[in-house]
Amino acid sequence: LSLLQHIGVQGRTPRNFNISPDGRYLIVANQDSNNIVLLTIDATTGRLSATGTNLPVSKPTCVKFLSLS
């Protein structure tokens, strides 16, 4: 592993994060700013980019994905 970048998570107190099952997104739960933020992951470089997607959620603490299979 090696450091690629630092990026802001557009919130306060990032409590948890997870990578989407398809590997295209990083979802961050910011506990004290009451939001969940979506970042894209570049498949070639691994670098993150802000999408501008910000979902208000009261005190999010965990990001999990539901498997329907």
Side-chain angles (χ1 to χ4, degrees), residues 2-5 40-49:
S2 59
L3 177 64
L4 294 177
Q5 77 183 108
T40 58
I41 303 171
D42 184 285
T44 304
T45 66
R47 294 181 66 83
L48 301 172
S49 299

Side-chain angles (χ1 to χ4, degrees), residues 18-22 62-69:
N18 206 338
I19 297 173
S20 63
D22 63 7
C62 189
V63 177
K64 292 190 175 192
F65 293 94
L66 175 64
S67 175
L68 299 176
S69 55

Side-chain angles (χ1 to χ4, degrees), residues 9-31:
V9 293
Q10 303 167 27
R12 292 187 328 270
T13 317
R15 176 72 183 259
N16 190 246
F17 67 90
N18 206 338
I19 297 173
S20 63
D22 63 7
R24 295 175 55 200
Y25 301 99
L26 179 76
I27 296 88
V28 181
N30 293 307
Q31 183 178 359

Side-chain angles (χ1 to χ4, degrees), residues 6 16 22 32-33 42 53:
H6 291 274
N16 190 246
D22 63 7
D32 289 342
S33 54
D42 184 285
T53 302

